């Protein structure tokens, strides 16, 4: 067991708790991410990971959807800061996208930075897609209206994906990238029910979920399964609204898809080659009791679904 002083991730968790109680927590968090931790903009390798996820969303629609990408009405929930996924969808041919977020994170300088990077990385992104893609024009956006005019992308925040108030059957491709792991279970159920209502016949819902303990990225001394050591009460001391982590496993998400009346067409949990850190972990009782060891192993999940025919 580690005994050499306070763990870096615990300090990080406490700072996040503090920020989440501030009245302008979102703005403070943004300033810290840009100027202190420098986690925004994300480095190129993280940008390309998001591009890969978005290309998977596109493939899911091509393989399981009922129409062309060009005519698809796309909806992304939890759009975040940089709009990397939506720009990838645009490159792939999607003409109409609505993005929503409960927090208005988007900022024009970050989007303009994304445009420049997409231009620079065009060849790399095409290689990953395995086909030709539209070239992103780099002229800076001056307003969100430009985003709609040039890319057909409408951004609405704050808007809650649990209850959008939009018409049933409005969308053909509904996606999220690295969102659901930050949402409590009951809210995911509400989001999936609402998504099932918004989905057109022949439409596809595609979600990418990162189930790793995010604190492992700030502290090399813990593994991506570390949070499974803690019972719910102790975990509640570390978990904050700012970067809430629900700790659900792949099995739980697949169950939630089914409960929403969706037919799963893609189930791709990813298990790292080396799970020795999980084997060595002193699991909290509830993870020992309620899950088989194999259920705890996957670190990411890519899942897509449609309405049962
Ligand atoms: C970790 S960020 C992911 C951002 C982006 N998709 C990406 O790949 O960088 C999760 C986002 O989901 C949003 N979110 C959480 N719950 C939501 C909900 N019920 N409706 C809409 N957005 C939500 C958060 O505000 C946050 O911007």
């Amino acid at each position: 067991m580690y005994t050499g002083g306070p763990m870096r991730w615990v300090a990080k968790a406490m700072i996040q708790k503090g920020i989440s109680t501030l009245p302008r927590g979102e703005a403070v968090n943004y300033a810290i991410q840009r100027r202190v931790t420098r986690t925004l903009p994300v480095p190129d390798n993280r940008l390309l990971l998001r591009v890969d996820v978005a290309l998977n969303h596109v493939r899911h629609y091509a393989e399981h959807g009922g129409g062309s990408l060009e005519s698809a009405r796309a909806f992304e929930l939890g759009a975040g800061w940089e709009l990397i996924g939506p720009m990838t969808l645009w490159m792939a041919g999607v003409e109409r996208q609505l993005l929503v977020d409960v927090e208005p994170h988007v900022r024009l300088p970050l989007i303009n930075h994304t445009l420049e990077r997409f231009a620079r990385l065009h060849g790399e992104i095409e290689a990953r897609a395995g086909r030709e893609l539209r070239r992103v024009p780099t002229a800076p956006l001056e307003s969100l209206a430009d985003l709609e005019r040039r890319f057909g992308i409408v951004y609405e925040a704050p808007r809650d994906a649990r209850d959008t108030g939009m018409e049933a059957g409005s969308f053909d491709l509904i996606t999220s990238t690295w969102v659901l792991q930050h949402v409590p279970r009951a809210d995911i159920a509400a989001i999936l029910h609402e998504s099932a209502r918004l989905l057109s016949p022949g439409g596809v819902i595609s979600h990418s979920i990162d189930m790793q303990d995010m604190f492992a990225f700030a502290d090399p001394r813990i593994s991506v399964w570390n949070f499974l050591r803690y019972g719910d009460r102790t975990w509640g001391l570390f978990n904050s609204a700012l970067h809430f982590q629900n700790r659900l496993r792949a099995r739980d998400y697949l169950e939630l898809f089914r409960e929403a009346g969706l037919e799963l067409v893609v189930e791709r949990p990813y298990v790292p080659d080396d799970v020795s850190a999980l084997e060595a972990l002193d699991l909290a009782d509830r993870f020992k009791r309620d899950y088989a060891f194999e259920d705890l192993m996957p670190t990411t999940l890519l899942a897509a679904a449609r309405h049962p025919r």
Side-chain angles (χ1 to χ4, degrees), residues 3-4 27 33 41 46 48 52 59 70 102 106 122 145 155 160 166 205 218 247-248 253 265 270 289 291 293:
T3 51
Q33 289 201 70
R46 301 282 301 166
L48 288 168
D52 286 340
R59 284 186 196 108
E70 289 68 23
V102 274
V106 138
H122 186 84
Y155 175 81
D160 194 329
M166 291 182 289
I205 294 182
R247 305 191 293 166
L248 295 175
Y253 290 104
V265 290
Y270 169 77
R289 192 187 55 227
Y291 296 85
F293 184 74

Short mmCIF file of all heavy atoms in Angstrom, two decimals, residues 3-4 27 33 41 46 48 52 59 70 102 106 122 145 155 160 166 205 218 247-248 253 265 270 289 291 293:
data_model
loop_
_atom_site.label_atom_id
_atom_site.label_comp_id
_atom_site.label_asym_id
_atom_site.label_seq_id
_atom_site.Cartn_x
_atom_site.Cartn_y
_atom_site.Cartn_z
N THR A 3 2.35 4.69 1.05
CA THR A 3 2.38 5.40 2.34
C THR A 3 3.20 6.68 2.26
O THR A 3 3.50 7.29 3.28
CB THR A 3 3.01 4.50 3.43
OG1 THR A 3 4.25 4.02 2.95
CG2 THR A 3 2.11 3.35 3.84
N GLY A 4 3.58 7.10 1.07
CA GLY A 4 4.50 8.24 0.95
C GLY A 4 3.85 9.60 0.86
O GLY A 4 4.22 10.40 0.03
N ALA A 27 -16.99 29.03 -15.00
CA ALA A 27 -15.98 29.97 -15.51
C ALA A 27 -14.63 29.72 -14.83
O ALA A 27 -13.58 29.74 -15.49
CB ALA A 27 -16.44 31.41 -15.27
N GLN A 33 -8.67 25.10 -16.46
CA GLN A 33 -8.32 24.13 -17.51
C GLN A 33 -7.46 24.75 -18.60
O GLN A 33 -6.61 24.11 -19.17
CB GLN A 33 -9.60 23.56 -18.13
CG GLN A 33 -10.34 22.62 -17.20
CD GLN A 33 -11.27 21.70 -17.98
OE1 GLN A 33 -10.84 20.81 -18.69
NE2 GLN A 33 -12.55 21.93 -17.86
N PRO A 41 -6.93 23.78 -24.82
CA PRO A 41 -7.43 22.76 -25.71
C PRO A 41 -6.72 21.42 -25.47
O PRO A 41 -5.58 21.40 -25.02
CB PRO A 41 -7.06 23.29 -27.11
CG PRO A 41 -6.34 24.57 -26.93
CD PRO A 41 -6.15 24.84 -25.50
N ARG A 46 -5.40 13.50 -27.97
CA ARG A 46 -6.75 13.41 -27.39
C ARG A 46 -7.79 13.88 -28.43
O ARG A 46 -8.89 13.34 -28.47
CB ARG A 46 -6.88 14.27 -26.13
CG ARG A 46 -5.94 13.93 -25.01
CD ARG A 46 -6.32 12.71 -24.19
NE ARG A 46 -7.61 12.77 -23.53
CZ ARG A 46 -8.20 11.69 -23.00
NH1 ARG A 46 -7.61 10.50 -23.06
NH2 ARG A 46 -9.36 11.79 -22.40
N LEU A 48 -7.52 13.44 -31.62
CA LEU A 48 -7.67 12.35 -32.60
C LEU A 48 -8.47 11.18 -32.01
O LEU A 48 -9.19 10.49 -32.74
CB LEU A 48 -6.30 11.90 -33.11
CG LEU A 48 -5.63 12.94 -34.05
CD1 LEU A 48 -4.17 12.59 -34.28
CD2 LEU A 48 -6.38 13.05 -35.38
N ASP A 52 -11.76 9.63 -33.73
CA ASP A 52 -12.01 8.19 -33.93
C ASP A 52 -13.40 7.81 -33.43
O ASP A 52 -14.11 7.04 -34.08
CB ASP A 52 -10.97 7.34 -33.19
CG ASP A 52 -9.61 7.37 -33.88
OD1 ASP A 52 -9.57 7.69 -35.08
OD2 ASP A 52 -8.60 7.09 -33.22
N ARG A 59 -19.95 5.48 -38.69
CA ARG A 59 -20.00 4.10 -39.22
C ARG A 59 -21.25 3.39 -38.73
O ARG A 59 -21.90 2.65 -39.48
CB ARG A 59 -18.77 3.30 -38.78
CG ARG A 59 -17.53 3.68 -39.54
CD ARG A 59 -16.33 2.78 -39.22
NE ARG A 59 -15.14 3.45 -39.71
CZ ARG A 59 -14.22 4.03 -38.94
NH1 ARG A 59 -14.32 3.98 -37.62
NH2 ARG A 59 -13.20 4.65 -39.48
N GLU A 70 -25.77 12.60 -45.56
CA GLU A 70 -26.05 13.96 -46.03
C GLU A 70 -27.44 14.41 -45.62
O GLU A 70 -27.68 15.59 -45.38
CB GLU A 70 -25.90 14.04 -47.56
CG GLU A 70 -24.46 13.96 -48.06
CD GLU A 70 -23.81 12.57 -47.87
OE1 GLU A 70 -24.55 11.56 -47.75
OE2 GLU A 70 -22.57 12.52 -47.81
N VAL A 102 -26.08 20.92 -20.92
CA VAL A 102 -26.70 21.57 -19.75
C VAL A 102 -25.88 22.78 -19.30
O VAL A 102 -26.39 23.65 -18.61
CB VAL A 102 -26.88 20.64 -18.52
CG1 VAL A 102 -28.16 19.89 -18.60
CG2 VAL A 102 -25.71 19.73 -18.30
N VAL A 106 -19.24 26.11 -24.58
CA VAL A 106 -18.57 26.46 -25.84
C VAL A 106 -18.04 27.90 -25.83
O VAL A 106 -18.69 28.80 -25.32
CB VAL A 106 -19.57 26.24 -27.01
CG1 VAL A 106 -19.53 27.33 -28.04
CG2 VAL A 106 -19.29 24.89 -27.66
N HIS A 122 -5.75 17.29 -41.49
CA HIS A 122 -6.71 16.73 -42.45
C HIS A 122 -6.29 15.35 -42.98
O HIS A 122 -7.09 14.42 -43.00
CB HIS A 122 -6.89 17.72 -43.62
CG HIS A 122 -7.95 17.28 -44.57
ND1 HIS A 122 -9.29 17.54 -44.38
CD2 HIS A 122 -7.88 16.55 -45.72
CE1 HIS A 122 -9.99 16.99 -45.34
NE2 HIS A 122 -9.16 16.39 -46.18
N ALA A 145 -23.76 32.11 -34.93
CA ALA A 145 -24.56 32.12 -36.16
C ALA A 145 -23.69 31.67 -37.34
O ALA A 145 -24.15 30.98 -38.25
CB ALA A 145 -25.13 33.52 -36.41
N TYR A 155 -26.02 25.24 -31.86
CA TYR A 155 -25.59 24.92 -30.49
C TYR A 155 -26.56 25.55 -29.51
O TYR A 155 -26.80 26.76 -29.56
CB TYR A 155 -24.17 25.48 -30.26
CG TYR A 155 -23.68 25.30 -28.84
CD1 TYR A 155 -23.15 24.09 -28.41
CD2 TYR A 155 -23.74 26.35 -27.92
CE1 TYR A 155 -22.70 23.92 -27.10
CE2 TYR A 155 -23.29 26.20 -26.62
CZ TYR A 155 -22.78 24.98 -26.21
OH TYR A 155 -22.33 24.82 -24.92
N ASP A 160 -31.27 20.56 -21.52
CA ASP A 160 -31.10 19.28 -20.84
C ASP A 160 -31.58 18.14 -21.73
O ASP A 160 -32.73 18.13 -22.16
CB ASP A 160 -31.89 19.31 -19.52
CG ASP A 160 -31.51 18.18 -18.59
OD1 ASP A 160 -31.14 17.10 -19.08
OD2 ASP A 160 -31.59 18.39 -17.37
N MET A 166 -38.53 18.70 -27.60
CA MET A 166 -38.57 18.67 -29.06
C MET A 166 -39.52 17.57 -29.54
O MET A 166 -39.87 16.66 -28.79
CB MET A 166 -37.16 18.46 -29.62
CG MET A 166 -36.29 19.68 -29.36
SD MET A 166 -34.64 19.56 -30.02
CE MET A 166 -33.90 18.38 -28.95
N ILE A 205 -28.86 5.45 -32.38
CA ILE A 205 -28.29 6.13 -31.21
C ILE A 205 -26.92 5.52 -30.97
O ILE A 205 -26.79 4.30 -30.91
CB ILE A 205 -29.17 5.89 -29.96
CG1 ILE A 205 -30.53 6.56 -30.14
CG2 ILE A 205 -28.47 6.39 -28.69
CD1 ILE A 205 -31.46 6.43 -28.95
N ALA A 218 -4.46 12.04 -13.41
CA ALA A 218 -3.74 13.07 -12.66
C ALA A 218 -2.72 12.46 -11.71
O ALA A 218 -1.92 13.16 -11.11
CB ALA A 218 -4.73 13.92 -11.87
N ARG A 247 -19.42 5.53 -11.91
CA ARG A 247 -18.77 4.22 -11.70
C ARG A 247 -19.57 3.05 -12.26
O ARG A 247 -19.32 1.90 -11.92
CB ARG A 247 -18.45 4.00 -10.21
CG ARG A 247 -17.62 5.11 -9.61
CD ARG A 247 -17.10 4.75 -8.24
NE ARG A 247 -18.14 4.63 -7.25
CZ ARG A 247 -17.98 4.07 -6.05
NH1 ARG A 247 -16.82 3.55 -5.74
NH2 ARG A 247 -18.97 4.02 -5.20
N LEU A 248 -20.58 3.33 -13.10
CA LEU A 248 -21.32 2.23 -13.73
C LEU A 248 -20.38 1.46 -14.65
O LEU A 248 -19.41 2.02 -15.19
CB LEU A 248 -22.50 2.77 -14.54
CG LEU A 248 -23.60 3.48 -13.75
CD1 LEU A 248 -24.63 4.08 -14.72
CD2 LEU A 248 -24.28 2.53 -12.78
N TYR A 253 -24.77 -0.06 -18.46
CA TYR A 253 -25.21 0.79 -19.58
C TYR A 253 -26.05 -0.02 -20.57
O TYR A 253 -27.07 0.46 -21.08
CB TYR A 253 -24.00 1.39 -20.31
CG TYR A 253 -23.27 2.43 -19.49
CD1 TYR A 253 -22.06 2.13 -18.88
CD2 TYR A 253 -23.80 3.69 -19.31
CE1 TYR A 253 -21.39 3.08 -18.11
CE2 TYR A 253 -23.14 4.65 -18.54
CZ TYR A 253 -21.94 4.33 -17.95
OH TYR A 253 -21.29 5.27 -17.20
N VAL A 265 -27.40 -2.73 -31.41
CA VAL A 265 -26.82 -3.28 -32.65
C VAL A 265 -25.30 -3.30 -32.60
O VAL A 265 -24.66 -3.97 -33.40
CB VAL A 265 -27.31 -2.52 -33.90
CG1 VAL A 265 -28.79 -2.80 -34.16
CG2 VAL A 265 -27.08 -1.01 -33.78
N TYR A 270 -14.23 -2.43 -24.23
CA TYR A 270 -12.79 -2.61 -24.45
C TYR A 270 -12.12 -2.99 -23.13
O TYR A 270 -12.31 -2.32 -22.11
CB TYR A 270 -12.17 -1.31 -24.99
CG TYR A 270 -10.66 -1.35 -24.97
CD1 TYR A 270 -9.96 -2.06 -25.95
CD2 TYR A 270 -9.94 -0.72 -23.96
CE1 TYR A 270 -8.58 -2.13 -25.91
CE2 TYR A 270 -8.55 -0.79 -23.91
CZ TYR A 270 -7.89 -1.50 -24.89
OH TYR A 270 -6.52 -1.57 -24.85
N ARG A 289 -19.78 -8.02 -4.66
CA ARG A 289 -21.04 -8.75 -4.53
C ARG A 289 -21.86 -8.73 -5.83
O ARG A 289 -22.38 -9.74 -6.27
CB ARG A 289 -21.86 -8.10 -3.39
CG ARG A 289 -23.06 -8.86 -2.92
CD ARG A 289 -23.84 -8.02 -1.92
NE ARG A 289 -24.18 -6.70 -2.47
CZ ARG A 289 -24.01 -5.54 -1.83
NH1 ARG A 289 -23.50 -5.50 -0.63
NH2 ARG A 289 -24.36 -4.39 -2.41
N TYR A 291 -21.04 -7.80 -9.05
CA TYR A 291 -20.43 -7.94 -10.39
C TYR A 291 -19.50 -9.14 -10.43
O TYR A 291 -18.80 -9.41 -9.45
CB TYR A 291 -19.60 -6.71 -10.74
CG TYR A 291 -20.38 -5.42 -10.87
CD1 TYR A 291 -20.69 -4.65 -9.75
CD2 TYR A 291 -20.81 -4.97 -12.12
CE1 TYR A 291 -21.40 -3.47 -9.87
CE2 TYR A 291 -21.52 -3.79 -12.25
CZ TYR A 291 -21.82 -3.04 -11.12
OH TYR A 291 -22.52 -1.87 -11.25
N PHE A 293 -16.00 -10.60 -11.89
CA PHE A 293 -14.73 -9.90 -12.14
C PHE A 293 -14.69 -9.38 -13.60
O PHE A 293 -14.27 -8.25 -13.86
CB PHE A 293 -13.56 -10.84 -11.86
CG PHE A 293 -12.23 -10.17 -12.01
CD1 PHE A 293 -11.77 -9.28 -11.05
CD2 PHE A 293 -11.43 -10.42 -13.12
CE1 PHE A 293 -10.55 -8.64 -11.18
CE2 PHE A 293 -10.21 -9.79 -13.27
CZ PHE A 293 -9.76 -8.91 -12.30
#
